[in-house]
Amino acid sequence: MPTLPWTVPNTPPDDTEVHVFASRFETRTLWGALKFLAGTPAVWRQVSRSPGAYGATLKAQPFKRTFWTLSAWESKDALRDFVRSGAHGPAARGLAPQMADAAFTTWQAKSEELPLSWSEAMRRLS
């Protein structure tokens, strides 16, 4: 699966701070990676409709059982609401037993810095 392009559900106001979230997931098995991929379309649709979502992308290496997410949000609350609602909540709970490792990081960025770079996300997840 190629990297999903940076999608902009909502345009942020100029000259504002955004809440950035990056993650890396490694599944225990190839079956876990396939389950992750199977849930991706529904979660991606949820992102595209989420209030407060300023952009998101996903990078996948399913045969290496590794996935990365990178997103920008209006606030921590907007991200939290997304995580706990819609398709994301059940997908995350269903995948939990399949996870071998996960890493998460957040930071603040300026709206003018969007779209965010994968190199910065990878550096922060290391």
Side-chain angles (χ1 to χ4, degrees):
M1 171 186 221
T3 301
L4 295 177
W6 184 259
T7 298
V8 181
N10 304 289
T11 303
D14 290 336
D15 197 32
T16 190
E17 292 249 315
V18 298
H19 182 73
V20 179
F21 176 80
S23 64
R24 178 186 42 76
F25 300 98
E26 294 177 24
T27 62
R28 295 183 191 284
T29 64
L30 188 54
W31 176 248
L34 292 174
K35 285 184 75 173
F36 190 104
L37 287 174
T40 297
V43 174
W44 196 249
R45 280 190 300 276
Q46 180 187 350
V47 169
S48 70
R49 296 184 206 124
S50 291
Y54 289 152
T57 180
L58 171 95
K59 185 181 289 237
Q61 292 183 338
F63 293 112
K64 292 184 179 182
R65 304 180 332 269
T66 306
F67 303 85
W68 296 267
T69 70
L70 177 58
S71 57
W73 299 86
E74 177 182 62
S75 64
K76 289 180 184 179
D77 289 340
L79 172 60
R80 186 194 67 239
D81 291 347
F82 164 77
V83 166
R84 293 182 178 170
S85 66
H88 185 277
R93 286 188 298 277
L95 284 169
Q98 300 290 331
M99 291 298 143
D101 190 31
F104 308 96
T105 188
T106 62
W107 70 94
Q108 296 299 117
K110 293 284 189 184
S111 56
E112 290 76 22
E113 296 174 46
L114 301 178
L116 300 164
S117 80
W118 274 112
S119 60
E120 178 63 12
M122 298 299 196
R123 183 186 72 74
R124 289 175 180 261
L125 284 166
S126 297

